């Protein structure tokens, strides 16, 4: 399959989202800047954010190779990370601390479900 503009954009978003998730992992562990809260167990938030970061980077590699599995994981992890952000908001984390991951996940979902993007991965 051929790389289209959507593939390049999705790969870039996946890498940026992975970096944001790594940064969130560090913040859950209270190593940098503002600490995040995750239901009173910041270590759980750190573990989940670290796993999500690995999945984002894996999805970026698959998207770069125009693999439909990468597209599926991109859309899935975008939705999952939005759910994790909602749980963190309920747990008391201010919205401005989570804006990076919310924006990256929302962009991944929006661009991922466009018909042209689905067509690029052969799933349309």
């Amino acid at each position: 399959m051929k790389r289209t503009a959507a593939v390049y954009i999705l790969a870039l978003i996946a890498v940026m989202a992975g970096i944001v998730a790594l940064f969130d992992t560090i913040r859950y562990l209270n190593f940098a800047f503002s600490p995040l809260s995750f239901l009173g167990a910041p270590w759980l938030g750190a573990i989940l954010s670290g796993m999500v970061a690995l999945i984002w980077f894996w999805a970026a590699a698959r998207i770069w190779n125009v693999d439909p599995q990468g597209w599926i994981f991109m859309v899935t992890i975008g939705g999952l990370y939005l759910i994790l952000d909602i749980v963190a908001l309920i747990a008391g984390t201010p919205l401005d601390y989570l804006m990076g991951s919310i924006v990256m996940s929302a962009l991944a979902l929006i661009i991922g479900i466009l018909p042209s993007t689905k067509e690029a991965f052969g799933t349309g």
Side-chain angles (χ1 to χ4, degrees):
M1 294 194 161
K2 185 176 135 181
R3 286 190 194 120
T4 63
V7 173
Y8 288 112
I9 292 168
L10 279 179
L12 178 64
I13 288 172
V15 169
M16 290 175 19
I19 292 169
V20 168
L22 283 177
F23 187 64
D24 285 350
T25 301
I26 293 169
R27 290 181 10 183
Y28 275 118
L29 295 173
N30 295 325
F31 288 141
F33 308 107
S34 54
L36 297 178
S37 176
F38 192 82
L39 300 176
W43 56 270
L44 180 59
I47 290 170
L48 292 173
S49 289
M51 289 172 41
V52 167
L54 290 174
I55 294 170
W56 276 120
F57 290 131
W58 180 86
R62 297 289 83 211
I63 287 168
W64 186 255
N65 293 325
V66 195
D67 183 354
Q69 280 188 336
W71 173 78
I72 291 168
F73 267 83
M74 176 89 168
V75 173
T76 303
I77 201 65
L80 177 66
Y81 209 50
L82 280 175
I83 292 169
L84 289 175
D85 286 338
I86 291 169
V87 171
L89 284 171
I90 292 170
T93 302
L95 179 63
D96 57 337
Y97 291 172
L98 299 172
M99 282 307 288
S101 61
I102 290 172
V103 168
M104 288 292 124
S105 298
L107 275 174
L109 283 173
I110 291 168
I111 294 172
I113 62 174
L114 290 175
S116 60
T117 305
K118 290 180 182 180
E119 184 179 312
F121 287 98
T123 58

